[in-house]
Amino acid sequence: MTDRLLRSCVTLLGLVLAAAMAPLAHADRVRDLGAYQGVRTNQLTGYGIVVGLPGTGDDNLDYVTQAMRGVSGRLGLQLPPGVSPGLKNAAAVMITADLPAFAKPGQRIDVTVSTIGKAKSLRGGALIMAPLYGADGQIYAMAQGNLAVGGLGITAKDGSSLTVNVPTVGRIADGASVERAVQTGFDSGEVLRWNLFQADFMTAARVRDAINTRFPQTASVEDGVTLALRLPDGADRRASMMAAIEMIDVTPAETPAKVIVNSRTGTVVINSAVRLSPAAISHGKLVVKIDEKPTVSQPGPFSRGQTAITPNSQINAEEQAAHVALFKPGASLSSLVDALNKLGVSPSDLVAILEALKEAGSLKAEMEVI
């Protein structure tokens, strides 16, 4: 009785260990698969002037002069007509920034400043107050501050120069103050839409089912990307429900079979969904070597002959042993990689083999050349 009990315990322990070691399905959070429509960053751009440069500015460019006249006019200083000031210490720049979702007036955001003229470096410069515009032409932020430049540019009197990194681009941490908020509409609309990062009907259906399991009759699929979510009224309740939905685990559908080929670097990426129909691959190389060893013939003494060159060519052809790899039905990525490694193919040969398999109808995948 004791031996039987011991064998039963060992069997049960083996089943538990097997279950623990079994591969688990890969699950992602809803927030990692998509995002709420309208809850996103917005791009801002602006035009401004950087001053205080140590002679590395745009010098006498017209648009810099016009901009400086506008800045001086706002400060109550009018330049006389016809006067074109030397502006080696100033540079015209473009300003870019990202306005986060729900950013409120008074908050600070980072800005990036880039030259648009002949300025050689922005190191040591300061940006004069400049407005930042959204896509609708409205002002959403005001930028100003000292630039932090990671690059360095030096020019000697003989014309030689040294440049480290990029000295014509700088950044101002917390360099802009938000002046206008962007309405997202997350707390007012009857239906809030959630969009997948990558279109997939199976993944959209699984996300819908997972949400409805937690919150019944909440989600419905509109297309391969968008889900319509019916959320309760009120910003507080709606935000709490949105946060709970984002943390739900969902197992996404397997990605479509695809082979990515980088024609410039020879890089080939094959995802795990690639399958092969029955096929045989023969791979070998033919090396042809031609050696030219001309022979010089000299005439005999007092023969009044001329020196002649006789061509002497040696051609040698060597064919390396060809290997044949056979793929059974439904061969997976690992089988393909193992076989191609045994054949010893180079990246260019690999691309040719994959294209031939695709042409023969054996490669069940989409090929994309970038």
Side-chain angles (χ1 to χ4, degrees):
M1 184 66 180
T2 303
D3 294 340
R4 182 179 300 176
L5 179 60
L6 180 60
R7 287 195 299 269
S8 300
C9 291
V10 172
T11 303
L12 180 61
L13 179 60
L15 293 175
V16 172
L17 291 177
M21 296 177 63
L24 298 178
H26 176 67
D28 293 327
R29 298 174 300 179
V30 170
R31 69 187 307 174
D32 298 326
L33 298 175
Y36 292 105
Q37 183 172 306
V39 182
R40 61 180 180 85
T41 59
N42 293 272
Q43 289 73 39
L44 304 179
T45 58
Y47 173 84
I49 296 294
V50 171
V51 297
L53 301 176
T56 59
D58 284 330
D59 199 2
N60 223 358
L61 297 180
D62 291 340
Y63 51 81
V64 183
T65 303
Q66 293 176 8
M68 286 302 298
R69 288 181 182 276
V71 172
S72 301
R74 291 201 304 267
L75 299 178
L77 175 62
Q78 296 295 335
L79 296 178
V83 174
S84 182
L87 297 173
K88 287 188 176 182
N89 295 343
V93 295
M94 290 298 297
I95 311 166
T96 58
D98 289 330
L99 182 65
F102 307 114
K104 298 298 188 293
Q107 292 182 322
R108 311 288 298 187
I109 58 176
D110 299 340
V111 298
T112 300
V113 180
S114 308
T115 62
I116 59 177
K118 297 181 179 180
K120 299 178 181 179
S121 175
L122 294 179
R123 179 177 289 272
L127 176 68
I128 299 177
M129 184 174 62
L132 300 182
Y133 299 87
D136 56 358
Q138 301 294 323
I139 297 176
Y140 285 88
M142 299 295 294
Q144 180 172 284
N146 297 322
L147 276 72
V149 180
L152 175 65
I154 302 174
T155 303
K157 292 183 178 180
D158 62 353
S160 60
S161 61
L162 173 65
T163 302
V164 180
N165 295 332
V166 182
T168 53
V169 177
R171 190 170 180 84
I172 308 176
D174 294 336
S177 61
V178 179
E179 302 296 332
R180 182 195 300 265
V182 177
Q183 299 299 325
T184 60
F186 93 100
D187 57 346
S188 58
E190 180 180 355
V191 175
L192 182 64
R193 287 171 173 80
W194 180 87
N195 299 324
L196 280 170
F197 293 138
Q198 294 183 344
D200 191 288
F201 285 103
M202 179 62 72
T203 302
R206 291 182 179 180
V207 174
R208 176 203 60 196
D209 296 340
I211 295 176
N212 288 336
T213 301
R214 178 76 178 276
F215 303 101
Q217 299 180 352
T218 297
S220 60
V221 176
E222 291 190 346
D223 52 40
V225 172
T226 304
L227 271 70
L229 306 178
R230 295 172 180 82
L231 303 178
D233 296 332
D236 184 64
R237 296 177 57 195
R238 179 165 289 195
S240 299
M241 191 169 176
M242 289 170 63
I245 289 175
E246 285 186 333
M247 300 308 295
I248 295 176
D249 289 332
V250 177
T251 302
E254 187 178 17
T255 57
K258 181 174 289 190
V259 177
I260 308 296
V261 178
N262 191 321
S263 58
R264 295 180 296 276
T265 63
T267 303
V268 180
V269 179
I270 308 172
N271 68 7
S272 60
V274 174
R275 294 292 184 272
L276 291 174
S277 298
I281 300 175
S282 176
H283 176 71
K285 293 183 179 179
L286 178 65
V287 179
V288 179
K289 185 177 181 181
I290 303 176
D291 291 333
E292 296 290 348
K293 297 180 179 180
T295 303
V296 179
S297 300
Q298 296 287 352
F302 308 105
S303 63
R304 297 182 180 182
Q306 295 181 353
T307 302
I309 299 177
T310 304
N312 183 14
S313 302
Q314 295 181 356
I315 301 177
N316 182 27
E318 179 182 354
E319 184 176 6
Q320 299 180 358
H323 302 276
V324 178
L326 176 64
F327 295 100
K328 297 180 179 180
S332 62
L333 171 64
S334 59
S335 302
L336 175 61
V337 172
D338 291 342
L340 295 179
N341 285 335
K342 291 180 181 178
L343 295 177
V345 300
S346 63
S348 58
D349 293 334
L350 176 59
V351 173
I353 291 174
L354 293 175
E355 289 178 345
L357 287 172
K358 179 68 175 178
E359 188 68 21
S362 177
L363 181 63
K364 306 301 181 182
E366 175 188 356
M367 288 198 64
E368 180 179 345
V369 181
I370 60 177

